[in-house]
Amino acid sequence: MRVCARAVTEKVSEVRFIQSLGRLLPCEEVKWEPDTEAEREVRVCARLHGSALACCQPAADVIPPSSPPLEAPGCTVGIGRRWLRPCGSAENRFLFGGKNRRESVMKMDAELLHSPVVGLSEEEEADMSDWNLPLAFMKKRHLEKIEGSKALAQSWRMKDRMKTVSVALVLCLNVGVDPPDVVKTSPCARLECWIDPLSMSPQKALETIGANLQKQYENWQPRARYKQSLDPTVDEVKKLCTSLRRNAKEERVLFHYNGHGVPRPTVNGEIWVFNKNYTQYIPLSIYDLQTWMGSPSIFVYDCSNAGIIVKSFKQFALQREQELEVAAINPNHPLAQMPLPPSMKNCIQLAACEANELLPMNPDLPADLFTSCLTTPIKIALRWFCMQKSAKLVPGVTLDLIEKIPGRLNDRRTPLGELNWIFTAITDTIAWNVLPRDLFQKLFRQDLLVASLFRNFLLAERIMRSYNCTPVSSPRLPPTYMHAMWQAWDLAVDICLSQLPTIIEEGTAFRHSPFFAEQLTAFQVWLTMGVENRNPPEQLPIVLQVLLSQVHRLRALDLLGRFLDLGPWAVSLALSVGIFPYVLKLLQSSARELRPLLVFIWAKILAVDSSCQADLVKDNGHKYFLSVLADPYMPAEHRTMAVFILAVIVNNYNTGQEACLQGNLIAICLEQLSDPHPLLRQWVAICLGRIWQNFDSARWCGVRDSAHEKLYSLLSDPIPEVRCAAVFALGTFVGNSAERTDHSTTIDHNVAMMLAQLINDGSPVVRKELVVALSHLVVQYESNFCTVALQFMEEEKNYAAPSPANTTEPGNQTPVRESPAIPRLRSVNSYTNIRAATTARNLNKSLQNLNLNEEGGPVTFSPGNLSASSSASSTLGSPDNDEYILSFETIDKMRRVSSYSSLNSLIGVSFNSVYTQIWRVLLHLAADPFPEVSDLAMKVLNSIAYKATVNARPQKILDSGSLTQSAPASPTSKGTLIHQAGTSHGANRSLSHCSGSPPIPGVSSSSLTNEVPKPPTRDGPPTRPPYTPTLGTQATPHSHQFQRTRKMFDKGPDQMAEDGEEAPGHRNFISVAMQTGLCDWSAKYFAQPVMKIPEEHDLESQVRKEREWRFLRNAGVRRQSQRIIQRGITRLDDQIFINRNPGVPSVVKFHPFNPCIAVADKDSICFWDWEKGERLDYFYNGNPRYTRITAMEYLNGHDCSLLLTATDDGALRIWKNFADQRNPEMVTAWQGLSDMLPSTRGLARRVSIYIDRSKQGGAGMVVDWEQETGLLMTSGDVRVIRIWDTEREMKVQDIPTGADSCVTSLSCDPQRSLVVAGLGDGSVRVYDRRMAPNECRVMTYREHGAWVVKAHLQRETDGHIISVSVNGDVRFFDPRMPDSINVLQTVKGLTALDIHPQANLFACGSMNQFIAVYNSNGDVISNIKYYDGFMGQRIGAISCLAFHPYWPHLAVGSNDYYMSIYSAEKRLR
């Protein structure tokens, strides 16, 4: 790293530099700019090395105007009060070709995330290793709940789209005769439809005006049926309206009324027409007009005082509704017998002026100014523009010249057409920005003619208000005449008219308006410079109009894509403005340059609204995306979006599945399965899973292409989401309900056995998907699984060996907890729904009832055992589990006791090889340490157990209550089952319903899980009869486990019919409700911004600032602790903390940087603040009662800390949100070691280890964590050291220990790839994990004669191995030498030991109730036997101890529940 500039002023003592967007090259230019006398800022211009974000644009408020120009286009400017944020440039965007932006962001991840914090002193800069450390378990799958986003309401899609199919043109002009109540000026406005009625005979004028009005309307709606009624009578109007309504049926009718030749409307709600002889004006009631016109209708009134009509119309509409309400109550009402008339609320009205206003009479304007605005907007707008004072700025333009503007309105390439296009865009934009969304949809998107009239109405409001006339509408619109977009219209008109003289006189070419380009630039500025919480961009409707232009289309799509990327709200806005038909039409384009843009836009739309799938298939849009997916030259990101779109098209949509199958989707997808882009692999698998879901044709197409075999490779993919997608695809592959042949059954069996290999996958999302996939198989082969279930129940019944639940072990020296000693446990509220004990009493009760002896006894295993794992589900239940037939205890016992031999006697080998093994897999998953996985598996097992017991019931009553449900019983003397009533908070899983117990027949089967059964989505195989196994004389294999007493209201076992009816419902419950939400959760990726720089990479974000603070704190802790250690530690006995822990401490772990210490007892974890002496948290770890916590590690201790706990059944659990005000949450959990050996299984740590370690169980599980590589080393009572990659969440290596004893201690060094293991036989073994398994053991030291308590590998280049055995001999080894290089002797009878990683200290805890602290020379620097205080109590037998990673602090836990911390002398601290 080279510093680019140095400070030259006295005030600036530190040089700040930026290395956040890549590696800085040598400085090109340094410019100095004094901001004030007291401060100078160093501005560093440097090239970005290797970053695709070539444009880093400074925000306007960052650099003062006096700043020097930025010479380098790709420079990062900094040092001062603000830091510049990088913005996406047009050349480097994610969307479109070339070096896409997503690659850039991903490429930046490593560099930017690990860049040093700005603003450090030189001393602090030296220790910035934290930036380079990767974070474990911080992906989205760990931080979010795996579920889809909530569907947005589809407000954009018009449910009641309409057409105006009939138009009535009623003109009451009476040419030549003025009405008596209007005094006209002289001269006066005369033109009607641009015709001077006095220039011809009155009748001809009337007919010409009527014909012209019809033509003007036909420009907007050419297909409507037009009828004119010129100077009509009341009967003529009635006849016209009723005939049009009859023909229009449910569609809209328009009624246009011109009343310039009749009196003004009356306050009684009447307009005027004529008698037959034109000698009288006849009133026509609006009430009658409503009756004849019906609904839906639109009314246009062009007359003075037109607002009166609008008011009267509303009053009459209200009157009608009141009459209908009366008729509904009174059957004798005359209206009650008539058909229900339509509501007039949906009618639309447009009136030329308010109730008290006259129409303008300016002779330069037409008399029907309102009609002209509505039907010939461009003509009147240009005319009005020329009449304004501003028109003088455009010389040579006259009213006559306007008439000569070349072109046609519908040809956008001509001046007139372009003006019309701009006018449409501007009025649409004004309406969209001013109107409420639902009103905009109704008026501007529902009906083409209505939309045109309302756009033109906005112009009418602007023009007529300038003549003190206010047009009125119903529904009423907000005022728009002062909107800023009208200025853009004036400018466009100005530019167009200024060219007119030269175009007409000289014939020069027309220069197109820059309006659309400028509006796109305004939109781009909004996108680039806007803030997060802002109003929607005004220009969005204009972008929609620009899509029609080939010239601007590419840029418009680019900007539209960037807008949609802002999130679901942006997609909803774009859809509401009407973008959908435009982008749908564009899919017919063959232009390759549009492909990336359209794919991106459609991915965004479908991620928010998947209902568009039908529109795509209807217009053959799916073919467009099939061609993109099949194009090998398309970047992987765009192919990913294409396959996502196709996955949405085929999702639960049979038409889409058929269309895509014909388009060869399966073959195209299979070619992409090995693509290096993980997101593409994931979505290809999801797409395959969806196309053959409940679609047998696609399944057989997949069989022919060996799709299932090609998917197998993804089951070992390094990305958990890809593995998950592959499991989903294979699950739907076997989940089809079509009738099975031998061939398909064979395929299903092969798929099932491949899936079963994922039983110990490190990611819970994969295992959850595995349960669902296997549940599909269970549903398909239900009768076979029923047989297996019954046999397992039989097996479990005959198994007489004691279970850990009720076996007491002599010699247990650990005191049983007393109720008062246990404080309130925090309930654990997490995504995983970990069921936690809510109170101490509940927990204590469960410990007493479920585990008569806290420590339990040895576990007896059978050869068929898969593993010794169990889960939080064992002792913790949820309320919905009270109805389970198979309790967790039964399932766990089944899992441990079943043997292959007895099953073989009943079932054929082929049956045993698949169904039995899948049943075992489900039993194993029901004991998963991650509660969501175990819950799903429990549902599957209990559903089949229920079916099996229903099918196996005898038809006669064998014994009173032999098959009835029993109440929770007290522990029996046999001890085969312990019954425990669940607590009110579901703290303990109810065990009263054991293997095969049917629920009360009157209760629906869905009560097994307290969920309402969902309607079936598909029928099962039609030919498969329900299977009833024959078990000889043992017809009720499960009845022995229940008390022989009847419940009061139990119907007994003779109620066969009801139970038989329940069975299908329960099967449907499994098949429908079993889903994980993975696909919907994965789809959220496309709905969220992908071009935005993540918050943690934004130098000014809160997340970034918090990280900087944490890293500064870390550097301070390291520096201060180093200073203390360098002074030399001569004593370590100053007691700085002591408190009574809720349980006997078994493992203790300091947080490396916070003043927090975690203390684990058998099954719970307590957090203490050792500076304040306060307890921060206490929560239940969730491990089964016959297991114990044997190891803890802090992951990401330098940043967002997680706590890993390991239990002696091989399960690993990761927790977050501990030791703060929030509830602890389980991030993930998995089976780290699946084959813990029963012979050495440790059930509790005892103080009598030294006396006879072999009888007290093994080491449990030991772990070591490498933050630098993200690798977790695990071992214990096994013959291997298993290495897990937490990034991939999968096992990467099994190193055979080569010993017959357990591993008691692990230590690793990432620099040298060495792993050191201490073993129970006294040997210390060194492994090089880079070598092959049979060669990786590079050294074995056998100098210890007894159990190795601790083996520590120093993390220096030439670091030594330090190991200690229970005999107290401390040995130092050089990994390159075959013998120890130093030996020290300490006290015998060690129970605990730790070595300080920084200071040369180690501490020994003894069963003889004292602690000795030694330096590296073997000298005792402290001997601790008593607690501090007036009556210094003797410390208990030491159960655990640990040094702080940096401070000279030693934590000690003892068997008397006390937890104490000792430190160096105060003067040193």
Side-chain angles (χ1 to χ4, degrees), residues 219-249:
N219 285 330
W220 304 105
Q221 178 62 295
R223 295 183 182 176
R225 181 181 183 184
Y226 290 88
K227 287 283 184 74
Q228 298 174 27
S229 188
L230 310 176
D231 289 351
T233 64
V234 172
D235 290 341
E236 287 171 351
V237 173
K238 179 179 180 181
K239 185 179 177 182
L240 170 69
C241 293
T242 51
S243 71
L244 288 180
R245 168 50 60 198
R246 190 166 52 248
N247 291 325
K249 296 177 182 174

Side-chain angles (χ1 to χ4, degrees), residues 482-798:
M482 293 294 287
H483 197 278
M485 287 300 291
W486 285 119
Q487 296 175 16
W489 166 247
D490 291 342
L491 178 61
V493 171
D494 198 312
I495 291 170
C496 177
L497 294 183
S498 65
Q499 301 179 55
L500 264 185
T502 55
I503 290 173
I504 293 171
E505 295 165 14
E506 303 170 19
T508 57
F510 171 66
R511 294 190 316 276
H512 288 284
S513 170
F515 170 79
F516 287 107
E518 288 168 354
Q519 293 299 317
L520 286 179
T521 301
F523 188 44
Q524 186 174 355
V525 168
W526 184 93
L527 285 170
T528 310
M529 310 302 285
V531 293
E532 287 293 327
N533 301 318
R534 48 191 159 167
N535 293 325
E538 289 185 353
Q539 300 80 16
L540 199 54
I542 295 174
V543 176
L544 180 133
Q545 291 291 328
V546 174
L547 292 178
L548 299 169
S549 160
Q550 216 163 346
V551 178
H552 302 293
R553 184 175 293 155
L554 197 66
R555 186 184 176 202
L557 283 173
D558 175 356
L559 295 172
L560 177 62
R562 287 174 58 185
F563 175 70
L564 297 180
D565 190 54
L566 294 175
W569 65 269
V571 176
S572 295
L573 272 181
L575 289 172
S576 72
V577 86
I579 215 84
F580 186 79
Y582 290 78
V583 289
L584 188 62
K585 187 81 173 171
L586 281 173
L587 292 180
Q588 297 169 12
S589 166
S590 57
R592 279 188 67 84
E593 65 270 16
L594 296 185
R595 280 186 166 191
L597 300 151
L598 286 172
V599 166
F600 184 87
I601 287 167
W602 272 103
K604 289 289 173 187
I605 291 173
L606 287 171
V608 173
D609 188 354
S610 60
S611 69
C612 304
Q613 57 184 185
D615 305 87
L616 280 172
V617 175
K618 184 180 175 185
D619 284 32
N620 284 323
H622 63 284
K623 293 180 179 177
Y624 188 87
F625 302 108
L626 281 167
S627 64
V628 172
L629 181 58
D631 185 354
Y633 297 104
M634 286 296 286
E637 285 84 358
H638 301 137
R639 280 182 286 135
T640 303
M641 291 176 204
V643 77
F644 163 70
I645 292 164
L646 291 163
V648 174
I649 289 173
V650 299
N651 186 28
N652 294 325
Y653 184 51
N654 193 251
T655 311
Q657 289 174 314
E658 289 174 359
C660 289
L661 182 63
Q662 290 170 3
N664 214 18
L665 174 63
I666 291 179
I668 295 170
C669 282
L670 291 175
E671 290 172 6
Q672 318 262 352
L673 277 179
S674 56
D675 192 275
H677 194 67
L679 200 60
L680 177 56
R681 297 197 302 273
Q682 178 184 343
W683 274 102
V684 163
I686 290 174
C687 187
L688 285 171
R690 282 178 169 179
I691 192 173
W692 55 51
Q693 190 167 21
N694 305 330
F695 186 42
D696 211 45
S697 303
R699 182 184 190 270
W700 282 112
C701 178
V703 170
R704 286 191 293 274
D705 288 346
S706 302
H708 55 294
E709 293 175 7
K710 291 173 182 174
L711 278 166
Y712 291 162
S713 62
L714 294 189
L715 295 178
S716 55
D717 196 275
I719 308 296
E721 288 88 346
V722 178
R723 299 201 297 274
C724 212
V727 174
F728 166 77
L730 291 170
T732 57
F733 189 79
V734 299
N736 271 317
S737 57
E739 188 175 345
R740 289 290 189 258
T741 61
D742 288 347
H743 182 204
S744 62
T745 301
T746 305
I747 291 170
D748 287 348
H749 288 183
N750 291 338
V751 170
M753 296 317 293
M754 286 301 295
L755 287 173
Q757 296 176 14
L758 291 173
I759 186 171
N760 286 319
D761 192 279
S763 174
V765 292
V766 176
R767 300 196 305 277
K768 274 167 63 181
E769 202 62 58
L770 174 63
V771 177
V772 174
L774 294 178
S775 77
H776 295 320
L777 193 81
V778 168
V779 169
Q780 291 302 319
Y781 299 97
E782 187 178 274
S783 57
N784 302 359
F785 279 101
C786 283
T787 307
V788 175
L790 283 171
Q791 182 59 23
F792 269 74
M793 293 175 193
E794 176 77 2
E795 183 95 6
E796 188 263 343
K797 180 201 74 170
N798 294 332

Side-chain angles (χ1 to χ4, degrees), residues 866-888:
L866 270 168
S867 85
S869 73
S870 192
S871 84
S873 309
S874 60
T875 56
L876 301 177
S878 55
D880 63 348
N881 292 333
D882 291 344
E883 294 293 333
Y884 273 166
I885 296 171
L886 295 179
S887 68
F888 177 81

Side-chain angles (χ1 to χ4, degrees), residues 326-619:
V326 172
I329 299 169
N330 182 10
N332 299 323
H333 195 281
L335 283 175
Q337 311 304 322
M338 297 170 64
L340 197 65
S343 169
M344 305 308 290
K345 281 186 175 178
N346 292 329
C347 291
I348 297 167
Q349 301 176 83
L350 299 173
C353 57
E354 285 281 10
N356 57 352
E357 294 174 347
L358 296 176
L359 295 178
M361 300 181 190
N362 187 328
D364 295 330
L365 297 170
D368 62 345
L369 177 60
F370 186 61
T371 300
S372 299
C373 289
L374 292 183
T375 56
T376 55
I378 304 302
K379 189 171 184 176
I380 190 66
L382 294 175
R383 198 176 184 86
W384 181 75
F385 178 82
C386 289
M387 292 167 64
Q388 306 305 304
K389 292 177 183 177
S390 59
K392 294 174 183 174
L393 298 173
V394 189
V397 177
T398 61
L399 291 175
D400 295 335
L401 199 63
I402 288 171
E403 303 292 333
K404 299 176 183 175
I405 290 183
R408 298 189 313 277
L409 282 172
N410 54 2
D411 185 353
R412 293 192 298 271
R413 293 167 297 184
T414 62
L416 194 60
E418 185 178 75
L419 275 177
N420 187 45
W421 185 26
I422 293 171
F423 175 80
T424 302
I426 284 176
T427 48
D428 221 34
T429 302
I430 292 173
W432 188 74
N433 283 293
V434 173
L435 268 60
R437 291 281 174 264
D438 55 344
L439 189 59
F440 175 81
Q441 289 287 328
K442 180 182 176 183
L443 301 181
F444 287 81
R445 291 295 180 264
Q446 192 182 53
D447 183 324
L448 286 173
L449 180 58
V450 172
S452 302
L453 289 177
F454 267 94
R455 276 198 295 269
N456 302 341
F457 178 80
L458 301 184
L459 174 72
E461 187 193 12
R462 187 185 190 214
I463 292 177
M464 296 185 77
R465 271 181 180 269
S466 67
Y467 298 106
N468 300 318
C469 206
T470 309
V472 179
S473 71
S474 174
R476 182 175 282 275
L477 304 186
T480 58
Y481 65 102
M482 293 294 287
H483 197 278
M485 287 300 291
W486 285 119
Q487 296 175 16
W489 166 247
D490 291 342
L491 178 61
V493 171
D494 198 312
I495 291 170
C496 177
L497 294 183
S498 65
Q499 301 179 55
L500 264 185
T502 55
I503 290 173
I504 293 171
E505 295 165 14
E506 303 170 19
T508 57
F510 171 66
R511 294 190 316 276
H512 288 284
S513 170
F515 170 79
F516 287 107
E518 288 168 354
Q519 293 299 317
L520 286 179
T521 301
F523 188 44
Q524 186 174 355
V525 168
W526 184 93
L527 285 170
T528 310
M529 310 302 285
V531 293
E532 287 293 327
N533 301 318
R534 48 191 159 167
N535 293 325
E538 289 185 353
Q539 300 80 16
L540 199 54
I542 295 174
V543 176
L544 180 133
Q545 291 291 328
V546 174
L547 292 178
L548 299 169
S549 160
Q550 216 163 346
V551 178
H552 302 293
R553 184 175 293 155
L554 197 66
R555 186 184 176 202
L557 283 173
D558 175 356
L559 295 172
L560 177 62
R562 287 174 58 185
F563 175 70
L564 297 180
D565 190 54
L566 294 175
W569 65 269
V571 176
S572 295
L573 272 181
L575 289 172
S576 72
V577 86
I579 215 84
F580 186 79
Y582 290 78
V583 289
L584 188 62
K585 187 81 173 171
L586 281 173
L587 292 180
Q588 297 169 12
S589 166
S590 57
R592 279 188 67 84
E593 65 270 16
L594 296 185
R595 280 186 166 191
L597 300 151
L598 286 172
V599 166
F600 184 87
I601 287 167
W602 272 103
K604 289 289 173 187
I605 291 173
L606 287 171
V608 173
D609 188 354
S610 60
S611 69
C612 304
Q613 57 184 185
D615 305 87
L616 280 172
V617 175
K618 184 180 175 185
D619 284 32

Side-chain angles (χ1 to χ4, degrees), residues 1239-1401:
S1239 59
T1240 57
R1241 174 77 170 275
L1243 290 170
R1245 186 181 293 272
R1246 309 291 202 291
V1247 294
S1248 53
I1249 288 170
Y1250 178 66
I1251 299 171
D1252 191 351
R1253 188 76 188 227
S1254 61
K1255 289 183 182 175
Q1256 303 301 331
M1261 189 177 189
V1262 292
V1263 299
D1264 198 25
W1265 166 244
E1266 278 186 5
Q1267 188 74 49
E1268 297 84 356
T1269 59
L1271 295 180
L1272 181 69
M1273 320 292 163
T1274 62
S1275 193
D1277 299 324
V1278 286
R1279 300 291 177 263
V1280 294
I1281 298 170
R1282 181 160 294 169
I1283 302 178
W1284 291 88
D1285 185 337
T1286 56
E1287 176 73 18
R1288 294 185 273 175
E1289 294 192 58
M1290 61 192 301
K1291 180 184 75 176
V1292 290
Q1293 197 174 357
D1294 266 355
I1295 300 175
T1297 59
D1300 287 332
S1301 61
C1302 58
V1303 175
T1304 61
S1305 176
L1306 276 179
S1307 184
C1308 54
D1309 181 0
Q1311 276 74 36
R1312 294 180 283 176
S1313 298
L1314 293 182
V1315 181
V1316 172
L1319 282 84
D1321 62 1
S1323 63
V1324 176
R1325 300 173 185 239
V1326 184
Y1327 307 89
D1328 188 330
R1329 61 174 186 254
R1330 296 168 294 188
M1331 300 173 72
N1334 55 345
E1335 301 170 357
C1336 61
R1337 179 155 54 98
V1338 293
M1339 192 70 75
T1340 304
Y1341 301 103
R1342 301 185 186 276
E1343 298 186 18
H1344 291 296
W1347 181 284
V1348 176
V1349 178
K1350 178 89 173 178
H1352 173 70
L1353 175 58
Q1354 294 175 328
R1355 289 197 175 188
E1356 286 93 33
T1357 313
D1358 54 352
H1360 294 159
I1361 299 165
I1362 307 170
S1363 65
V1364 190
S1365 76
V1366 291
N1367 290 334
D1369 53 329
V1370 181
R1371 298 183 181 270
F1372 295 79
F1373 302 97
D1374 185 325
R1376 297 163 293 188
M1377 312 292 283
D1379 301 311
S1380 60
I1381 55 176
N1382 194 10
V1383 180
L1384 303 173
Q1385 184 61 46
T1386 64
V1387 295
K1388 292 197 174 187
L1390 286 186
T1391 55
L1393 180 134
D1394 198 27
I1395 299 163
H1396 199 291
Q1398 309 295 329
N1400 291 320
L1401 301 173

Side-chain angles (χ1 to χ4, degrees), residues 49-64:
H49 180 65
S51 172
L53 278 176
C55 177
C56 184
Q57 302 164 351
D61 63 333
V62 175
I63 301 179

Side-chain angles (χ1 to χ4, degrees), residues 960-1267:
S960 172
S962 63
L963 282 173
T964 59
Q965 190 179 38
S966 65
S970 57
T972 60
S973 56
K974 289 183 182 178
T976 52
L977 223 94
I978 312 289
H979 295 281
Q980 162 69 38
T983 64
S984 59
H985 290 276
N988 305 294
R989 192 182 293 275
S990 171
L991 305 180
S992 59
H993 308 299
C994 308
S995 61
S997 164
I1000 302 173
V1003 181
S1004 74
S1005 60
S1006 64
S1007 66
L1008 290 171
T1009 52
N1010 274 5
E1011 293 193 29
V1012 179
K1014 299 184 181 178
T1017 55
R1018 60 174 189 260
D1019 296 325
T1023 58
R1024 188 186 301 135
Y1027 182 81
T1028 307
T1030 307
L1031 295 174
T1033 55
Q1034 187 65 41
T1036 54
H1038 46 281
S1039 60
H1040 70 284
Q1041 294 179 338
F1042 299 90
Q1043 292 181 333
R1044 308 268 174 187
T1045 55
R1046 287 288 302 272
K1047 285 183 91 172
M1048 188 179 296
F1049 299 107
D1050 190 7
K1051 296 181 183 179
D1054 55 337
Q1055 304 289 326
M1056 290 296 113
E1058 292 182 35
D1059 287 325
E1061 290 164 7
E1062 289 166 9
H1066 199 72
R1067 166 181 173 153
N1068 290 329
F1069 164 72
I1070 287 193
S1071 58
V1072 177
M1074 295 291 283
Q1075 53 186 359
T1076 62
L1078 167 91
C1079 299
D1080 295 335
W1081 174 77
S1082 301
K1084 278 204 301 192
Y1085 167 85
F1086 297 99
Q1088 302 306 319
V1090 293
M1091 288 188 279
K1092 180 184 172 186
I1093 291 180
E1095 195 177 11
E1096 62 268 21
H1097 298 169
D1098 182 352
L1099 296 180
E1100 294 181 357
S1101 69
Q1102 182 177 345
V1103 172
R1104 177 77 176 198
K1105 294 298 181 191
E1106 287 173 356
R1107 294 195 81 202
E1108 290 174 5
W1109 178 86
R1110 283 194 291 268
F1111 294 170
L1112 285 172
R1113 172 205 64 187
N1114 300 354
V1117 168
R1118 291 191 190 100
R1119 194 168 55 253
Q1120 293 168 34
S1121 61
Q1122 194 62 35
R1123 285 176 187 156
I1124 293 173
I1125 289 168
Q1126 283 171 356
R1127 293 178 199 155
I1129 309 295
T1130 55
R1131 292 184 63 190
L1132 197 80
D1133 55 4
D1134 184 12
Q1135 184 178 294
I1136 60 172
F1137 171 88
I1138 184 166
N1139 230 309
R1140 182 175 169 87
N1141 203 56
V1144 176
S1146 61
V1147 189
V1148 60
K1149 196 79 179 173
F1150 276 105
H1151 189 284
F1153 302 107
N1154 281 339
C1156 166
I1157 187 166
V1159 185
D1161 50 48
K1162 180 175 172 289
D1163 51 17
S1164 303
I1165 302 143
C1166 191
F1167 287 91
W1168 297 90
D1169 184 323
W1170 48 263
E1171 279 188 349
K1172 297 178 181 175
E1174 296 175 355
R1175 196 181 72 196
L1176 302 172
D1177 212 336
Y1178 184 45
F1179 67 91
Y1180 191 70
N1181 184 53
N1183 45 298
R1185 66 173 188 283
Y1186 55 83
T1187 62
R1188 62 192 173 100
I1189 299 172
T1190 58
M1192 285 194 300
E1193 286 285 347
Y1194 280 104
L1195 314 186
N1196 312 333
H1198 65 295
D1199 199 348
C1200 300
S1201 301
L1202 304 174
L1203 183 76
L1204 176 143
T1205 63
T1207 49
D1208 62 354
D1209 59 354
L1212 295 161
R1213 293 171 179 81
I1214 311 281
W1215 296 90
K1216 68 174 180 179
N1217 295 347
F1218 47 81
D1220 60 13
Q1221 297 307 309
R1222 294 173 292 175
N1223 280 337
E1225 293 177 18
M1226 188 185 284
V1227 179
T1228 184
W1230 75 101
Q1231 203 63 39
L1233 296 169
S1234 56
D1235 43 7
M1236 297 290 270
L1237 298 174
S1239 59
T1240 57
R1241 174 77 170 275
L1243 290 170
R1245 186 181 293 272
R1246 309 291 202 291
V1247 294
S1248 53
I1249 288 170
Y1250 178 66
I1251 299 171
D1252 191 351
R1253 188 76 188 227
S1254 61
K1255 289 183 182 175
Q1256 303 301 331
M1261 189 177 189
V1262 292
V1263 299
D1264 198 25
W1265 166 244
E1266 278 186 5
Q1267 188 74 49

Side-chain angles (χ1 to χ4, degrees), residues 292-323:
W292 305 332
M293 283 292 292
S295 177
S297 301
I298 178 168
F299 299 84
V300 178
Y301 315 118
D302 190 347
C303 59
S304 295
N305 302 138
I308 291 177
I309 310 175
V310 177
K311 288 180 182 174
S312 302
F313 190 99
K314 290 179 181 175
Q315 287 171 356
F316 289 138
L318 191 63
Q319 180 184 332
R320 283 174 184 279
E321 291 204 356
Q322 289 169 348
E323 288 173 357

